Amino acid sequence: QYCEFKNNPRNGVLEGWGNGLSSDYSEFINCTFHDLGTSGTGYGIYTGTSNNLLDHCEFYNLPRYGVHQFTNAAGQTSNNNVTRNSKFHETGTNTALYSASILLSSGTGNLAYNNIVYHSLRGIQIYGTSINGAAYNNTVYNNTYQGFVIEAGSSGALVKNNIIYLNGDSAILNNGTNSTFSN
């Protein structure tokens, strides 16, 4: 709680699989992630594990993703992670690289809700092998490209009750399977 992650050449936090162990059930509450990736690439937090919580955090001045929830570890998934009540701005500052403020990927039941995302490259991205990822009650505005990106390979994405306004390219880009949008 109440941590500040800054001035690292890569990521603020990296959670992953190794030696058969994982860092599941982590909580980051009232933390600030900023001025990371000074090498030109980096994330606020990169998590490839499950059942993690980010609550009331702020992410800014990051060259890639604010929250990058993804794993490619053999036989592992990244499930039931929650990013909520947080603020994201000035993420994706290295525009030569693909990025978004929040990435939900590589598992089942990952959620992003009650977040504010603005002045970034992209808003919220549901990607890859995401199953039933959900983003609701977010305010996503004034991003360079899309407010929401639902990528091919994802299925069952739910985007509901969001305010999506003044995003440069489009409000929502949907290439997923069985995506649901409302309100």
Side-chain angles (χ1 to χ4, degrees):
Q1 292 184 342
Y2 301 100
C3 297
E4 181 178 20
F5 300 90
K6 65 180 183 175
N7 301 330
N8 190 31
R10 296 289 292 188
N11 306 316
V13 173
L14 174 62
E15 295 183 304
W17 294 87
N19 301 322
L21 304 173
S22 81
S23 50
D24 292 342
Y25 298 98
S26 296
E27 293 186 356
F28 295 88
I29 301 169
N30 292 308
C31 296
T32 304
F33 299 80
H34 67 95
D35 297 294
L36 297 160
T38 56
S39 65
T41 183
Y43 312 100
I45 184 167
Y46 188 127
T47 182
T49 61
S50 297
N51 303 300
N52 300 298
L53 173 66
L54 288 119
D55 190 14
H56 286 94
C57 294
E58 184 173 10
F59 297 80
Y60 64 92
N61 201 19
L62 303 168
R64 299 272 326 258
Y65 293 85
V67 172
H68 191 273
Q69 179 268 300
F70 171 81
T71 185
N72 62 358
Q76 305 300 331
T77 56
S78 183
N79 305 309
N80 305 314
N81 294 292
V82 175
T83 300
R84 67 181 184 201
N85 306 315
S86 295
K87 184 169 25 172
F88 298 81
H89 53 100
E90 286 75 46
T91 62
T93 57
N94 185 344
T95 57
L97 300 170
Y98 196 83
S99 65
S101 288
I102 302 170
L103 172 75
L104 305 178
S105 182
S106 304
T108 301
N110 295 299
L111 306 174
Y113 62 90
N114 296 340
N115 298 293
I116 299 172
V117 179
Y118 63 98
H119 295 162
S120 295
L121 200 63
R122 288 175 184 82
I124 299 173
Q125 181 181 13
I126 300 176
Y127 179 77
T129 57
S130 175
I131 300 169
N132 300 328
Y136 56 90
N137 299 340
N138 299 288
T139 300
V140 181
Y141 71 95
N142 203 22
N143 295 290
T144 304
Y145 296 109
Q146 301 86 8
F148 285 85
V149 179
I150 315 303
E151 295 285 356
S154 67
S155 64
L158 172 65
V159 177
K160 181 178 180 178
N161 290 338
N162 296 285
I163 297 171
I164 310 167
Y165 179 70
L166 204 60
N167 295 285
D169 187 42
S170 60
I172 299 171
L173 174 62
N174 178 32
N175 292 315
T177 303
N178 298 320
S179 302
T180 302
F181 303 94
S182 69
N183 302 37

